[in-house]
């Protein structure tokens, strides 16, 4: 916002109070602009000339008193001269008080400024009272100095309001103030408390690089446009908000030096490179949050607040955010030391974790949700359907890149039937690498395990294995073949139905093979062979068993099925059935007794990984 400059500054010579006939000692160093038709500023006019000038003013008149030193009685005289009996208050037109000095209380309470009002560079060395003042044009307080309290309670700013680089040494109070145009406090310094209780900002509000040394109240402050707190410094603020913003609140680069609670309801909150030098709690509603490169020196909790914020037991009015979803989404924690980060009830479907530190120590509380796999059938080499599981945004971006998905149109809602594309899609230079995504899954799986969320940890283990299986640079070829087999047989020990399906198929094949070639036609007969010694004596017999004969005739009978089923079931639990088998059947049983128990174990492991807590 350009600084309001209602009255162009005059040439330097015009600022000098010449004052022929006035007390020369009083005029030393005075830069007050001369009163029209007079040879001195208002402060240094003779009493007769001052009265004549003031008597000639009418309500709504334009005035120019730049650089003029005002005492409290002089201000009161000016206000009386411009008092409008029809509205019951002083009425100024275009007003210029640039670099004016107010040594006593500046009582502009209830004044109507129907034109532009400029107090640029003005010094208020007593209290400044602008409460209930009405600024119909632009209001300029650029570089103004308030040595005492500055009171703007219920003030109305219809045009732009410029407080850039203003210095507030005492209390700065803007209770229920209304700002209809753009408002800027860029570089302003608040040495005392700053109170914006229920202030309303209808235009864009900027507090860029402002310094707040005392307490700051933004209780139920309402921003109809963006609110910019870029690089602002908060030295002693224990609570920020609740603040309601229809668009974006930018806290990027801001510094919070003491423990603080931030309560914000906004469509987007930027916290890029924000620095918290003590503990902090962010209670948010409706917001999309970017925490990229935020500096967390102590634990910082980001929480989705479930209900409307309250101020003095009264629920805040959220009409500014009507139609928006009340949930909170974090889109990035890149560059963040996650050791100090706690996320509660946060939507992490689009969150970028790559580049974060200590992700294994990230705390996920409540119901934190992640993106799910697509719901539709996928046809690449074969027709397949993705098993539903939690996934990271980085895996979505890699798969969308690999699948060659088209670039979405602006503001297109992501389809649940496709992978979500990345912010730089389809540029392969910015596509995530499977090896890096696997490392993210590995670290976050540890975070789930520490939080006793075993099902969530199982999903991230699955994602890690998937990325390793598709990694052609970091995973050796032999290991990838093993992973393919592990995935195919049991979904990395996490898909019980898949393992049970393979087990049923293996048992069925075993039964069919045994019925066909493994069972003999008849049970082998035993024969006793011996020799009776001449003259009697001890007889020794050798009992032999005939070799099982390969089956002939009808092999697929109910009796043979029963015997084959008995052999197969015993093989699953490593037991011998005691059934006579052909040579082929013996080998079939040996293979069955190795493979089928493995499949059964994988199924049991998958069930355990899904139900344990």
């Amino acid at each position: 916002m350009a600084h309001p400059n209602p009255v162009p500054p005059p040439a330097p010579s015009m600022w000098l109070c010449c004052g022929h006939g006035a007390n020369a000692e009083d005029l030393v160093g005075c830069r007050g602009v001369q009163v029209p038709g007079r040879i001195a500023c208002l402060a240094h006019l003779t009493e007769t000339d001052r009265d004549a000038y003031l008597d000639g003013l009418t309500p709504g008149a334009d005035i120019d008193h730049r650089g003029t030193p005002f005492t409290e009685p002089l201000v009161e005289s000016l206000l009386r001269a411009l008092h409008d009996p029809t509205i019951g208050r002083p009425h100024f037109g275009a007003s210029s008080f640039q670099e004016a000095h107010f040594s006593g209380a500046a009582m502009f309470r209830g004044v109507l400024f129907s034109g532009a009002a400029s107090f640029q560079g003005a010094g208020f060395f007593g209290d400044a009272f602008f409460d209930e003042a009405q600024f119909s044009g632009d209001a300029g307080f650029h570089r103004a100095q308030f040595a005492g309290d500055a009171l703007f309670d219920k003030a109305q700013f219809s045009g732009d309001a410029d407080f850039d680089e203003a210095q507030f040494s005492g209390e700065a109070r803007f209770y229920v103030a209304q700002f209809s145009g753009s408002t800027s406090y860029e570089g302003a310094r608040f040495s005392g408390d700053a109170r914006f209780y229920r202030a309303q900002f209808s235009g864009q509000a900027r507090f860029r690089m402002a310094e707040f040394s005392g307490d700051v109240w933004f209780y139920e402050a309402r921003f109809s446009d963006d609110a910019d707190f870029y690089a602002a410094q908060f030295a002693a603020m224990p609570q920020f908000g609740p603040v309601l913003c229809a668009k974006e609140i930018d806290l990027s680069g801001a510094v919070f030096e003491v423990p603080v609670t931030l309560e914000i309801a906004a469509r987007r909150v930027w916290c890029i490179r924000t620095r918290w030098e003590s503990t902090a709690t962010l209670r948010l509603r409706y917001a999309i949050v970017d925490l990229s490169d935020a500096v967390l020196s102590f634990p910082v909790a980001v929480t989705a607040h479930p209900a409307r914020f309250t101020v003095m037991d009264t629920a805040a009015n959220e009409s500014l955010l009507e139609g928006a979803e009340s949930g909170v989404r974090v889109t990035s924690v890149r560059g963040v030391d996650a050791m100090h980060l706690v996320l509660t009830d946060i939507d992490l479907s689009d969150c970028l974790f790559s580049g974060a530190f200590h992700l294994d120590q990230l705390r996920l509380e409540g119901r934190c949700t992640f993106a799910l796999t697509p719901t539709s059938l996928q046809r690449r080499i074969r027709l397949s359907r993705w098993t539903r599981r939690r996934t990271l945004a980085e895996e979505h971006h890699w798969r969308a890149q690999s699948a060659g998905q088209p670039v979405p149109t602006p503001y297109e809602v992501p389809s649940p039937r496709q992978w979500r594309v990345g912010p730089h899609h389809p540029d392969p230079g910015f596509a995530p690498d499977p090896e890096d995504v696997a490392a993210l899954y590995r670290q976050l799986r540890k975070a789930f395990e520490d939080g006793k969320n075993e099902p969530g940890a199982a999903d991230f283990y699955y994602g890690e294995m998937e990325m390793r299986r598709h990694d052609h640079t970091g995973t050796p070829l032999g290991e990838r073949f093993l992973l393919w087999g592990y995935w195919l047989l049991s979904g990395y020990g996490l898909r019980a139905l898949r393992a049970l399906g393979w087990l049923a198929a293996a048992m069925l094949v075993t039964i069919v093979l045994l019925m066909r070639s493994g069972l003999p036609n008849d049970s082998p007969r035993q024969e006793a062979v011996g020799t009776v010694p001449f003259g009697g004596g001890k007889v020794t017999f050798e009992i032999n068993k005939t070799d099982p004969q390969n089956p002939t005739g009808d092999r697929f009978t109910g009796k043979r099925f029963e015997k084959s089923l008995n052999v197969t079931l015993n093989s699953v639990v490593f037991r011998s059935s005691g059934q006579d088998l052909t040579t082929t059947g013996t080998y079939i049983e040996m293979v069955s007794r190795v493979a089928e128990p493995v499949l059964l174990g994988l199924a049991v492991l998958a069930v355990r990984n899904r139900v344990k807590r």
Side-chain angles (χ1 to χ4, degrees):
M1 181 181 72
H3 302 316
N5 193 13
V7 181
S13 60
M14 294 181 61
W15 286 74
L16 297 178
C17 178
C18 298
H20 295 295
N23 189 332
E25 293 181 358
D26 294 337
L27 301 180
V28 174
C30 179
R31 302 183 65 235
V33 68
Q34 298 173 358
V35 172
R38 304 293 192 276
I39 59 173
C41 69
L42 181 61
H44 293 111
L45 286 177
T46 63
E47 184 175 351
T48 301
D49 287 343
R50 183 183 304 118
D51 291 342
Y53 167 71
L54 294 175
D55 290 341
L57 294 178
T58 59
D62 297 340
I63 60 171
D64 182 3
H65 295 297
R66 288 167 289 171
T68 301
F70 280 90
T71 61
E72 186 173 343
L74 185 58
V75 173
E76 292 176 353
S77 299
L78 182 61
L79 293 175
R80 283 195 301 268
L82 294 171
H83 184 81
D84 190 343
T86 61
I87 60 176
R89 63 168 79 179
H91 181 188
F92 288 71
S95 310
S96 181
F97 292 93
Q98 290 170 281
E99 298 189 17
H101 286 201
F102 298 86
S103 56
M107 300 293 296
F108 289 93
R109 176 177 290 143
V111 171
L112 170 61
F113 296 91
S114 57
S118 176
F119 291 85
Q120 178 177 328
F124 298 88
F125 298 98
D127 294 338
F129 295 88
F130 287 88
D131 38 329
E132 300 186 21
Q134 183 175 344
F135 298 86
S136 298
D138 292 344
F141 290 86
H142 179 67
R143 291 184 179 175
Q145 299 183 34
F146 298 88
D149 294 340
L151 307 181
F152 289 83
D153 297 349
K154 297 183 180 180
Q156 298 181 25
F157 298 84
S158 300
D160 294 343
D162 176 14
F163 289 87
D164 289 352
E165 300 182 44
Q167 298 186 30
F168 299 86
S169 300
E171 181 182 20
R173 210 165 68 191
F174 294 84
Y175 281 2
V176 203
Q178 297 183 23
F179 300 86
S180 299
S182 295
T183 307
S184 181
Y185 291 85
E186 186 169 337
R189 297 176 61 184
F190 297 84
S191 301
D193 294 344
R195 304 181 185 274
F196 293 86
Y197 176 75
R198 288 186 175 174
Q200 298 186 34
F201 300 84
S202 299
Q204 191 178 53
R206 285 194 293 272
F207 293 83
R208 297 172 65 91
M209 295 177 285
E211 298 181 14
F212 298 90
S213 300
D215 193 5
V216 186
W217 284 25
F218 279 97
Y219 291 171
E220 208 175 345
R222 298 168 61 85
F223 297 87
S224 300
D225 208 306
D226 297 338
D228 186 355
F229 291 86
Y230 175 82
Q233 297 186 34
F234 301 91
M237 180 182 66
Q239 180 167 345
F240 181 88
V243 168
L244 299 102
C245 180
K247 295 184 179 179
E248 301 180 355
I249 289 186
D250 190 356
L251 295 171
S252 299
V255 180
F256 297 88
E257 299 180 10
V258 297
V260 62
T261 298
L262 294 91
E263 295 183 337
I264 300 173
R267 280 180 167 81
R268 182 177 286 274
V269 178
W270 299 94
C271 295
I272 301 174
R273 294 184 299 278
T274 304
R275 189 165 82 242
W276 282 279
E277 297 182 351
S278 188
T279 57
T281 299
L282 281 73
R283 296 174 183 156
L284 308 175
R285 287 175 59 77
Y286 304 99
I288 299 173
V289 188
D290 191 331
L291 293 169
S292 299
D293 300 312
V295 180
L296 316 181
S297 302
F298 290 85
V300 173
V302 181
T303 304
H305 199 67
R308 289 190 297 171
F309 298 120
T310 58
V311 179
M312 299 180 181
D313 298 326
T314 303
N317 183 356
E318 295 184 344
S319 58
L320 289 174
L321 294 154
E322 186 175 358
E325 297 182 2
S326 61
V328 176
R329 289 194 294 143
V330 172
T331 58
S332 175
V333 294
R334 305 182 71 169
V336 175
D337 188 345
M339 177 175 62
H340 296 301
L341 183 60
V342 182
L343 302 177
T344 304
D345 297 330
I346 302 298
D347 183 351
L348 299 170
S349 301
D350 295 311
C351 186
L352 298 176
F353 290 92
S354 57
F357 307 98
H358 300 119
L359 280 175
D360 57 326
Q361 299 181 52
L362 172 67
R363 289 183 56 189
L364 301 174
E365 305 287 347
R367 188 174 181 271
C368 291
T369 59
F370 290 83
L372 299 176
T373 50
T375 57
S376 63
L377 295 174
Q378 307 291 315
R379 188 173 184 86
R380 296 286 299 279
I381 301 176
R382 67 191 184 284
L383 192 66
S384 63
R385 184 181 186 279
W386 298 104
T387 304
R388 300 291 278 173
R389 61 180 173 88
R390 301 173 182 87
T391 55
L392 293 180
E394 282 86 352
E395 180 181 352
H396 272 260
H397 301 165
W398 175 78
R399 290 191 183 273
Q401 175 73 29
S402 301
Q405 287 184 197
V407 179
T409 58
Y411 307 107
E412 180 180 348
V413 179
S415 171
R417 302 173 63 86
Q418 292 183 317
W419 297 100
R420 300 173 184 234
V421 301
H424 302 286
H425 184 81
D427 189 342
F430 290 95
D433 186 273
E435 185 176 10
D436 295 332
V437 180
L440 295 177
Y441 273 121
R442 188 178 306 115
Q443 294 182 71
L444 287 170
R445 173 168 60 88
K446 177 66 164 52
F448 273 112
E449 291 172 346
D450 291 344
K452 307 303 179 183
N453 186 346
E454 295 296 340
D459 278 350
F460 276 31
Y461 173 75
Y462 192 103
E464 178 188 349
M465 293 296 102
E466 279 286 274
M467 292 298 97
R468 289 178 58 194
R469 180 165 66 93
H470 290 286
D471 181 14
H472 292 272
T473 57
T475 307
L477 180 61
E479 185 176 337
R480 291 208 311 275
F481 276 123
L482 290 176
L483 291 172
W484 273 97
Y486 195 20
W487 165 80
L488 186 63
L489 292 176
S490 65
Y492 312 111
L494 295 171
R495 301 293 180 257
L497 290 179
R498 189 180 305 180
L500 290 173
W502 280 110
L503 176 60
M507 292 175 66
L508 180 60
V509 170
T510 301
I511 291 172
V512 171
L513 291 176
L514 287 174
M515 291 175 67
R516 183 182 183 280
S517 307
L519 298 177
N521 278 335
D522 300 307
S523 297
R525 295 186 300 273
Q526 293 183 341
E527 297 179 350
V529 180
T531 303
V532 178
F534 181 76
K538 185 176 180 181
V539 179
T540 302
F541 292 94
E542 180 180 340
I543 300 177
N544 296 320
K545 192 174 184 180
T546 60
D547 292 335
Q549 301 298 312
N550 291 326
T552 59
D554 189 3
R555 306 176 185 181
F556 299 97
T557 63
K559 186 176 181 179
R560 292 176 63 83
F561 172 79
E562 182 180 356
K563 291 182 178 180
S564 299
L565 180 61
N566 181 273
V567 172
T568 303
L569 290 176
N570 279 280
S571 298
V572 173
V573 291
F574 286 97
R575 291 179 58 194
S576 175
S577 64
Q579 177 67 47
D580 293 317
L581 301 174
T582 65
T583 302
T584 302
T586 301
Y587 285 109
I588 293 173
E589 184 187 35
M590 291 170 60
V591 174
S592 175
R593 290 175 66 182
V594 172
E596 291 166 8
V598 172
L599 294 173
L600 177 62
L602 290 175
V604 172
L605 177 64
V607 172
R608 179 181 179 275
N609 287 333
R610 281 300 177 183
V611 301
K612 73 176 182 177
R613 294 289 179 181

